[in-house]
Every structure is written in C-alpha cells, then in structure tokens.
Amino acid sequence: MRPIIIAANWKMNTTPSDAGPLASAIAAATATDDVVRVICPPYVCLAPVRDALAGTGIAVGAQDVHPLAAGAYTGEISAGMLTGLATWCIVGHSERRRDQHETDELVGRKLARCLESGLRPIWCVGEQLDEREAGRAEAVVREQVERGLVAGGMANGEWAGSVVIAYEPVWAIGTGRTARGADAAAMADAIRSALEANGWTRDAAATVPVLYGGSVTAASIGEFLAEPAIDGALVGGASLKPDEMAGIVARAATTAAARRAAAG
Ligand code: 13P
C-alpha cells in the first residue's frame, strides 16, 4: 500500500526567525502517524525548521538541489550541504522550470543526485493551460517523465520506493483554480504508465506515490484524496496556514485509515 503524503512547499516565504514557530504550529495542528508529513522551507530556514520539528515525525525537505557534488557554482546548494538538514527535496518545480529555465534533462540529473545522496525527491511535472486546452496534457507529462528518467539514468525502476511524483498542472498553481479530481487521477495513471513504458515493471510503477498540487486547501483536498490513484498533495499557499494544514492533514488521515481498512 502506498503512503499518504502531505508535503508543504513554502516557496520564497518565511525567515530564519519566523520559520521555526510556524513549523511548530503546523506540527501541533497536524499530529498523526497515518500521514507522511514533509515541510520544505527555504534553504536558510532549514536548520530552524529541523530544530522545531525534532520529535514531531514531520520530515524536512529542500526546494531544489544542484546536480553536481561541488564546484564553482556561485549561489548553488549541493546535496552534500543538505546532510543533517533535509531528507527530502523538491525537484523540477514549474516555477524553476519557468524562472530558471530548468529542462527535463536537468531535472533528471537532479533526481539522480538526490537518489544517490539519499534525499527523497518530490519530482514535479505538469502541463501548461494551452497544452491542456489543446488536448496534449497527458502527452506533455508523459514526455516530462520519460526525459527525466532517461537523463537521470532511472529507466530500470531501481529507485521505486524512493521517488515521489507530484502532478502540478501549471495553470492550477497559485490561481485558486484546481484540476478536477478525475483529471488528476487520469494523469496519475498516465504517469505510472509512462514509468512502465520506460523500463519499470508494473509493480515498481505501482509503488510510486503520485501527489496532486495546485491551489490545494482544506476545502479542496477531499476531491483528490477520493481518487485511489492520488496519494496526497504538494501544498503551496495553504501550507503557510496552520489551520489549513490541520484540515488537509486531518482529511488525509481519514483517507489513510479508509484505504488501510479496504486493503484488509
Ligand atoms: P499553491 O498551492 O499555492 O497553488 O502552490 C502549489 C505548488 O506549487 C506546490 O508546489
């Protein structure tokens, strides 16, 4: 059975002084063993968030990582630098694809770096609005998966069990407009089928948790968790609000219990 995962992407919000108290408030509002909880603050807030979350069961993630181990790359952060600070890492977020011009090939190399370094990647994929309107959403996302797998040398399913994929339609991010649950579920199926088409066994592909991201709130999470193909959410704006996170994680815990009961 796949875990239910709720990951918070704080993006470029919080400071080293307010991140710890916010993380503590979220921890207090979301206590449960049924849901894998992850908070991804900005790099400079990793240490205070790690300290605030000690003993809460919530993992800490980074929002990006460089594909290389070290070198003359001003301003960049390597996987090794994250040791002791983060155990998860977002890779290929659409805001970085847009603003830092990250390609699927670069994203694949970053995934490989995460996996080699013991960081659990949350690999973000998703189509633009014009691509969905043109009926190309699944083809676009399948291509993102395939190119990332090839560039990361991950086409043999070896990393099943470590990789988490977040389907974040770009038009749903920060817009208040969510995908429909059924469309997100169809995309989750397409993602697992793309893994299978690129060298993964059906069993390996079936172990990969697929999260939905894009304007998720306590009010909207239920539509996604009602879909058996969806295993949680990558939450942006609402993840900065403890009350919203409380509602999201509570709904996720209900889903986790129901799925466990159904699995016997
Ligand atoms: P919002 O929840 O603010 O739409 O952001 C989603 C996202 O990009 C998470 O990575």
Side-chain angles (χ1 to χ4, degrees), residues 115-129:
L115 293 165
E116 286 160 16
S117 310
L119 285 168
R120 196 158 183 199
I122 301 176
W123 176 10
C124 300
V125 296
E127 82 284 357
Q128 307 280 340
L129 183 58

Side-chain angles (χ1 to χ4, degrees), residues 90-183:
I90 296 170
V91 175
H93 194 280
S94 64
E95 287 153 8
R96 295 195 61 82
R97 293 175 186 258
R98 178 194 68 201
D99 300 335
Q100 279 76 34
H101 312 293
E102 293 198 4
T103 62
D104 292 316
E105 286 68 28
L106 177 61
V107 170
R109 291 169 57 220
K110 291 184 173 194
L111 288 169
R113 175 61 59 190
C114 283
L115 293 165
E116 286 160 16
S117 310
L119 285 168
R120 196 158 183 199
I122 301 176
W123 176 10
C124 300
V125 296
E127 82 284 357
Q128 307 280 340
L129 183 58
D130 61 334
E131 293 166 334
R132 175 155 289 273
E133 286 176 345
R136 295 183 47 237
E138 286 189 15
V140 165
V141 170
R142 290 182 73 103
E143 193 171 277
Q144 290 173 340
V145 170
E146 173 168 346
R147 288 183 174 165
L149 287 177
V150 170
M154 297 156 53
N156 60 7
E158 176 191 356
W159 295 108
S162 299
V163 176
V164 174
I165 296 182
Y167 167 54
E168 299 205 304
V170 176
W171 47 270
I173 294 177
T175 59
R177 178 180 171 193
T178 60
R180 292 190 313 139
D183 288 341

Side-chain angles (χ1 to χ4, degrees), residues 1-263:
M1 229 181 75
R2 297 186 297 261
I4 302 281
I5 301 169
I6 300 294
N9 177 7
W10 285 0
K11 307 191 179 184
M12 198 173 72
N13 296 291
T14 70
T15 66
S17 56
D18 62 26
L22 177 58
S24 296
I26 291 172
T30 64
T32 172
D33 291 332
D34 280 341
V35 178
V36 175
R37 294 163 295 154
V38 186
I39 294 180
C40 305
Y43 289 130
V44 295
C45 301
L46 286 169
V49 167
R50 172 202 60 195
D51 294 346
L53 294 179
T56 65
I58 303 184
V60 181
Q63 295 177 13
D64 183 45
V65 71
H66 196 274
L68 296 176
Y73 303 101
T74 302
E76 296 291 334
I77 298 290
S78 72
M81 295 174 192
L82 296 172
T83 303
L85 291 170
T87 51
W88 292 63
C89 187
I90 296 170
V91 175
H93 194 280
S94 64
E95 287 153 8
R96 295 195 61 82
R97 293 175 186 258
R98 178 194 68 201
D99 300 335
Q100 279 76 34
H101 312 293
E102 293 198 4
T103 62
D104 292 316
E105 286 68 28
L106 177 61
V107 170
R109 291 169 57 220
K110 291 184 173 194
L111 288 169
R113 175 61 59 190
C114 283
L115 293 165
E116 286 160 16
S117 310
L119 285 168
R120 196 158 183 199
I122 301 176
W123 176 10
C124 300
V125 296
E127 82 284 357
Q128 307 280 340
L129 183 58
D130 61 334
E131 293 166 334
R132 175 155 289 273
E133 286 176 345
R136 295 183 47 237
E138 286 189 15
V140 165
V141 170
R142 290 182 73 103
E143 193 171 277
Q144 290 173 340
V145 170
E146 173 168 346
R147 288 183 174 165
L149 287 177
V150 170
M154 297 156 53
N156 60 7
E158 176 191 356
W159 295 108
S162 299
V163 176
V164 174
I165 296 182
Y167 167 54
E168 299 205 304
V170 176
W171 47 270
I173 294 177
T175 59
R177 178 180 171 193
T178 60
R180 292 190 313 139
D183 288 341
M187 192 62 84
D189 290 342
I191 286 168
R192 295 194 181 97
S193 130
L195 294 171
E196 265 188 74
N198 287 280
W200 290 41
T201 64
R202 175 166 292 240
D203 284 352
T207 65
V208 174
V210 177
L211 315 184
Y212 168 78
S215 297
V216 169
T217 62
S220 67
I221 184 72
E223 173 167 0
F224 300 100
L225 290 174
E227 300 289 344
I230 302 286
D231 305 304
L234 181 55
V235 186
S239 76
L240 294 160
K241 301 176 184 159
D243 288 354
E244 283 289 326
M245 285 297 280
I248 291 167
V249 172
R251 180 64 178 73
T254 305
T255 299
R259 290 191 189 178
R260 202 171 44 240

